[in-house]
């Protein structure tokens, strides 16, 4: 090729010895005469001599216009020269440099997008989810509750044989499992500490009256909630009637008659267990507390009657006067609440806060027309029609609309003159003695009939003075049932006195706290489990730090309450169970959990595709082209000389 010949001429020019130019000139122009060669080479300028060799190699005329081997015949025809080799090499190098720069730019943009852009976008648009103790929440389902009841058993002289008295003091533990079809395994543990009676206890138990002895044996102030004290008297002691084997009082105290038998401790121990179970924990009490968590066919509807555990309750007393033209009803509700209701609520203050209000509703009639009984010349409401009475009346109350706590309604209904007297019948058709009925978790209604003698010779409206003592006795009985404070299942031959003016016994309050603690733990466990399952299935729900802190607080409170129950500390266990319910409910119903709940994936694609697609396509195509070229260069075989 011409280019390579030119390069060879350059090298020959600088490497040949002197005289080589003449030799080359004679080879290239052999048609000219010899006497013309030397003079021509002698007067040419150096630059023409230099180009002469080059052009002679390629067959082109010299640049100064003289023909080789001839005379002065005029300028030779001009020819267009080809590009220089250095310029071609420079252009090729520049092209390669641009390609390298393009590849580097594409790789740089791809690196910036992948290393900085995508993590930054992912971090700024991700759904924040604070960590939760999922393993601890799942462990709550297999939680085993051990409810320990500390029992102090005090033996008087001659209550057991002398040989057995010498064995005192010692401790006996009785444990049994409550057969409930529930995920929480519940065991009741009665820890009985046996000891001898002190001098003042011997003096009190030697009296002939149980109430006087109970007054002398007033429970010490340091006795903890949930603990019981059982006194064992001699077999011939006159403190109890001879046909009675035990006594349960209003305080945390009971009396059991002893026996002089070689198996005295075993026999007395069984009697003590019967008394202690009646005063503390039974299967029915726990079943009523867990009624919402047990199968419906396991327990009757009566077990679902008590109110659910809450931090507070609102009680409303309403007087319904449907016929104010005939009856001018007066009731001293304020005095009755202070005299009868307030002591009961003060005793229940450990279970929650209470607020009481009252109202009078005129022209408020029942939603059911009573039937007339011609035999007794009276009207009656059948048992099957009682559920239809509540709904029309409840619309007039309006007390539960803005309440944060459960509301208990107690209605005193004075029937109109056209339907007087009015009685309530039970399922058998017999009149109810109290002339009242209650609805589970709602309240109660009492029908108060006006004395027929009041209409004789009196002008309408007749003034009616309500006997608040008779009314409050009914309402307090209904209030006890609504809180799950039922009559205990007494053992055989057990002497029992009802509650005093407070309307509730001390051990009944303890039993209520036991039931409420178990109910709170079951509710908190169910709420936390449901929340963990919900957050695990739906990944776009935001979990804030305050929600996570409430969950951690609830889990810790459940564990603390279980530990306190197993230690017999009822007050602290109930407080921890309330905290567990409050924290779990606050976390479950937090409004922030619903912010991104209904934000489907198709909306995300509709938002982000117009933003990322125009930028991602060129980058991806460039990376793909670079990959193909790199792969092609790897597969190309290397040339060898």
């Amino acid at each position: 090729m011409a280019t390579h010949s030119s390069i060879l001429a350059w090298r020959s020019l600088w490497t040949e010895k002197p005289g080589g130019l003449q030799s080359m000139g004679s080879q290239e122009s052999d048609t000219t005469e010899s006497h013309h060669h030397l003079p021509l080479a002698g007067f040419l300028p150096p630059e023409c001599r230099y180009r002469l060799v080059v052009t002679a190699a390629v067959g082109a005329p010299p640049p100064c216009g003289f023909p080789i081997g001839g005379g002065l015949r005029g300028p030779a025809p001009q020819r267009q020269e080809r590009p220089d080799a250095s310029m071609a090499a420079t252009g090729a190098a520049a092209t390669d440099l641009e390609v390298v720069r393009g590849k580097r730019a594409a790789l740089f943009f791809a690196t910036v997008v992948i290393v900085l852009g995508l993590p930054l976008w992912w971090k700024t648009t991700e759904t924040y989810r604070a960590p939760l103790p999922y393993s601890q929440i799942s462990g709550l389902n297999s939680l085993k509750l051990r409810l320990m009841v500390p029992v102090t058993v005090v033996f008087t002289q001659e209550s057991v044989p002398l040989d057995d008295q010498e064995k005192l003091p010692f401790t006996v533990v009785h444990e049994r499992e409550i057969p409930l079809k529930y995920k929480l395994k519940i065991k009741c543990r009665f820890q009985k500490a046996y000891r001898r009676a002190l001098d003042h206890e011997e003096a009190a138990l030697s009296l002939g009256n149980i109430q006087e002895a109970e007054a002398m044996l007033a429970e010490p102030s340091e006795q903890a909630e949930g603990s019981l004290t059982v006194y064992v008297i001699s077999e011939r002691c006159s403190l109890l009637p001879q046909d009675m084997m035990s006594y349960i009082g209003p305080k945390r105290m009971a009396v059991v008659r002893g026996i002089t038998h070689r198996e005295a401790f075993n026999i007395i121990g069984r009697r003590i267990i019967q008394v202690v179970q009646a005063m503390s924990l039974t299967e029915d009490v726990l079943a009523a507390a867990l009624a919402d968590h047990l199968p419906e066919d396991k327990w009757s509807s009566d077990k679902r009657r008590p109110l659910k555990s809450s931090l507070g309750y609102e009680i409303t007393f309403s007087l319904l006067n449907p016929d104010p033209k005939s009856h001018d009803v007066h009731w001293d509700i304020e005095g009755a609440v202070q005299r009868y209701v307030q002591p009961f609520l003060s005793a229940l203050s450990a279970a929650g806060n209470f607020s009481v209000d009252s109202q009078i509703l005129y022209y408020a009639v029942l939603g059911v027309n009573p039937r007339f009984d011609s035999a007794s010349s009276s009207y009656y409401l059948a048992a099957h029609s009682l559920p239809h009475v509540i709904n029309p009346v409840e619309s007039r109350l309006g007390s539960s609309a803005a309440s944060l706590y459960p509301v208990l309604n107690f209605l005193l209904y004075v029937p109109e003159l056209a339907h007087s007297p009015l009685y309530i019948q039970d399922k058998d058709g017999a009149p109810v003695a109290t002339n009242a009925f209650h609805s589970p978790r709602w309240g109660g209604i009492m029908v108060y009939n006006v004395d027929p003698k009041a209409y004789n010779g009196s002008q309408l409206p007749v003034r009616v003075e309500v006997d608040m003592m008779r009314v409050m006795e009914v309402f307090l009985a209904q209030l006890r049932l609504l809180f799950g404070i039922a009559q205990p299942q007494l053992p055989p031959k057990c002497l029992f006195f009802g509650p005093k003016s407070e309307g509730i016994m001390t051990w009944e309050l303890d039993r209520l706290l036991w039931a409420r603690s178990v109910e709170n733990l079951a509710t908190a466990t169910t709420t936390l489990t449901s929340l963990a399952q919900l957050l695990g299935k739906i990944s776009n729900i935001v979990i804030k730090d305050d929600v996570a802190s409430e969950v951690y607080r609830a889990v810790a409170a459940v564990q603390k309450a279980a530990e306190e129950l197993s230690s017999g500390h009822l007050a602290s266990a109930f407080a921890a169970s309330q905290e567990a319910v409050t924290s779990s409910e606050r976390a479950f119903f937090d409004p922030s959990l619903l912010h991104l709940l209904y934000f489907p994936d198709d909306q995300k694609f509709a938002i982000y595709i117009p933003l990322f697609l125009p930028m991602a396509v060129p980058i991806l195509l460039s990376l793909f082209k670079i990959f193909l070229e790199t792969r092609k260069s790897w597969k190309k075989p290397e040339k060898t000389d």
Side-chain angles (χ1 to χ4, degrees):
M1 296 177 60
T3 304
H4 293 291
S5 300
S6 176
I7 294 174
L8 291 175
W10 273 83
R11 291 178 180 175
S12 300
L13 177 66
W14 292 101
T15 56
E16 291 293 333
K17 295 180 181 181
L21 181 60
Q22 298 176 1
S23 173
M24 181 173 287
S26 61
Q27 293 177 3
E28 295 294 334
S29 55
D30 54 352
T31 56
T32 58
E33 295 180 359
S34 58
H35 63 275
H36 289 162
H37 178 71
L38 292 176
L40 179 63
F43 67 85
L44 286 177
E47 59 272 14
C48 291
R49 286 182 287 174
Y50 166 74
R51 290 301 301 261
L52 175 63
V53 178
V54 176
T55 54
V58 298
C64 40
F66 296 100
I68 300 175
L72 298 176
R73 300 178 180 178
Q78 299 290 332
R79 292 185 181 181
Q80 187 174 358
E81 299 181 1
R82 294 186 179 183
D84 192 24
S86 61
M87 295 178 62
T90 303
T95 304
D96 295 339
L97 182 60
E98 292 296 329
V99 172
V100 172
R101 288 179 179 177
K103 291 181 180 180
R104 291 179 179 178
L107 292 175
F108 176 76
F109 281 112
T111 304
V112 171
V113 171
I114 295 175
V115 177
L116 296 179
L118 288 179
L120 183 62
W121 167 77
W122 183 269
K123 188 64 178 178
T124 55
T125 59
E126 70 174 350
T127 301
Y128 181 75
R129 294 172 66 89
L132 296 179
Y134 290 103
S135 59
Q136 299 182 16
I137 293 175
S138 61
L140 297 179
N141 295 325
S142 59
L143 185 66
K144 295 182 180 180
L145 295 180
R146 286 182 172 85
L147 312 180
M148 193 188 77
V149 181
V151 181
T152 303
V153 182
V154 181
F155 289 87
T156 61
Q157 296 179 359
E158 300 180 357
S159 59
V160 292
L162 294 177
D163 296 339
D164 293 336
Q165 289 186 4
E166 293 178 356
K167 299 177 182 178
L168 300 175
F170 62 92
T171 302
V172 178
V173 177
H174 177 79
E175 184 173 329
R176 69 186 185 91
E177 185 174 354
I178 303 298
L180 297 177
K181 293 182 179 180
Y182 188 58
K183 56 186 178 181
L184 291 179
K185 304 300 180 182
I186 303 176
K187 290 185 178 181
C188 295
R189 184 178 183 181
F190 300 98
Q191 184 174 348
K192 298 177 293 183
Y194 290 5
R195 67 174 179 85
R196 294 182 181 182
L198 302 177
D199 294 338
H200 72 279
E201 295 173 338
E202 289 281 359
L205 294 173
S206 62
L207 299 176
N209 191 337
I210 186 62
Q211 295 181 351
E212 294 179 359
E214 188 176 12
M216 292 184 63
L217 294 172
E219 58 181 274
S221 58
E222 63 270 8
Q223 186 174 5
E225 292 83 354
S227 60
L228 298 174
T229 302
V230 180
Y231 294 95
V232 182
I233 60 177
S234 63
E235 189 175 4
R236 296 181 301 274
C237 183
S238 61
L239 188 63
L240 295 179
Q242 292 299 323
D243 58 341
M244 293 295 173
M245 302 302 298
S246 60
Y247 163 77
I248 296 177
K251 302 296 183 179
R252 299 185 180 98
M253 189 200 76
V255 178
V256 174
R257 191 179 295 279
I259 186 174
T260 56
H261 192 273
R262 60 181 181 179
E263 298 291 337
F265 280 144
N266 295 332
I267 298 175
I268 295 174
R270 288 192 293 268
R271 294 178 182 176
I272 292 173
I273 289 298
Q274 292 177 355
V275 173
V276 169
Q277 287 181 353
M279 298 176 66
S280 58
L281 293 172
T282 60
E283 184 177 349
D284 293 338
V285 172
L286 296 178
L290 299 175
D292 292 341
H293 305 277
L294 297 176
E296 295 183 359
D297 56 348
K298 178 65 177 176
W299 306 101
S300 61
S301 59
D302 293 338
K303 297 295 185 295
R304 305 180 186 275
R305 177 172 51 198
L307 286 169
K308 296 182 64 176
S309 178
S310 177
L311 297 177
Y313 303 91
E314 295 187 8
I315 301 176
T316 302
F317 294 97
S318 302
L319 174 62
L320 275 63
N321 187 3
D323 191 7
K325 296 181 179 179
S326 302
H327 301 142
D328 184 14
V329 184
H330 295 269
W331 67 336
D332 186 14
I333 186 62
E334 184 177 358
V337 168
Q338 293 293 332
R339 191 177 302 110
Y340 304 106
V341 180
Q342 194 60 44
F344 177 78
L345 298 181
S346 298
L348 277 180
S349 60
N353 300 321
F354 296 90
S355 62
V356 182
D357 55 5
S358 62
Q359 60 181 346
I360 300 177
L361 300 178
Y362 295 99
Y363 300 102
V365 297
L366 301 179
V368 177
N369 293 324
R371 296 183 180 182
F372 181 73
D373 185 10
S374 58
S376 60
S377 299
S378 61
Y379 294 86
Y380 68 92
L381 291 174
H384 62 83
S385 63
L386 295 180
H388 304 285
V389 175
I390 297 177
N391 291 338
V393 176
E394 189 177 17
S395 61
R396 295 287 305 274
L397 299 178
S399 57
S400 60
S403 177
L404 299 177
Y405 301 119
V407 179
L408 293 176
N409 299 282
F410 294 96
L411 278 62
L412 181 64
Y413 180 75
V414 181
E416 60 270 24
L417 182 60
H419 293 155
S420 295
L422 179 63
Y423 299 100
I424 298 175
Q425 294 181 350
D426 57 11
K427 296 180 180 180
D428 299 331
V432 178
T434 59
N435 207 23
F437 70 96
H438 73 279
S439 177
R441 301 182 181 181
W442 184 83
I445 298 178
M446 179 181 179
V447 178
Y448 191 87
N449 290 314
V450 180
D451 188 2
K453 298 179 181 180
Y455 299 105
N456 297 334
S458 300
Q459 296 181 356
L460 298 179
V462 176
R463 182 178 178 86
V464 180
E465 293 290 343
V466 179
D467 186 3
M468 298 304 298
M469 181 177 180
R470 180 164 66 94
V471 171
M472 286 301 168
E473 286 180 354
V474 176
F475 285 162
L476 281 178
Q478 294 177 347
L479 192 60
R480 285 172 54 89
L481 293 176
L482 292 173
F483 274 98
I485 308 173
Q487 294 294 330
Q489 297 179 357
L490 300 177
K493 298 181 180 181
C494 180
L495 181 63
F496 175 73
F497 292 109
K500 296 183 178 180
S501 59
E502 293 84 2
I504 185 174
M505 292 176 278
T506 308
W507 55 267
E508 286 182 331
L509 177 60
D510 294 343
R511 188 173 61 178
L512 178 63
L513 294 182
W514 285 110
R516 288 289 188 260
S517 299
V518 175
E519 180 186 357
N520 290 338
L521 290 181
T523 302
T525 302
T526 304
T527 303
L528 291 175
T529 304
S530 302
L531 180 61
Q533 293 177 355
L534 176 66
L535 297 178
K537 291 181 180 180
I538 305 177
S539 60
N540 60 343
I541 296 181
V542 179
I543 305 177
K544 293 185 177 180
D545 292 333
D546 53 351
V547 176
S549 63
E550 293 293 341
V551 174
Y552 276 99
R553 190 179 295 111
V555 172
V558 170
Q559 296 174 350
K560 180 182 178 181
E563 294 177 357
E564 296 294 337
L565 287 175
S566 61
S567 302
H569 303 152
L570 180 58
S572 57
F574 177 71
S577 66
Q578 281 188 322
E579 182 182 0
V581 171
T582 304
S583 299
S584 61
E585 296 287 340
R586 189 181 295 117
F588 189 84
F589 294 104
D590 192 273
S592 64
L593 297 178
L594 300 178
H595 284 175
L596 296 179
L597 181 59
Y598 303 105
F599 192 68
D601 294 334
D602 55 351
Q603 295 186 9
K604 296 181 181 179
F605 287 113
I607 293 174
Y608 293 123
I609 284 180
L611 176 63
F612 289 103
L613 189 60
M615 177 183 64
V617 170
I619 296 177
L620 294 177
L621 291 178
S622 300
L623 294 178
F624 182 70
K625 185 176 180 181
I626 293 173
F627 173 74
L628 292 180
E629 293 180 356
T630 305
R631 184 179 180 184
K632 185 177 180 181
S633 63
W634 287 347
K635 292 184 178 181
K636 185 177 180 180
E638 298 181 357
K639 294 183 178 180
T640 56
D641 295 337

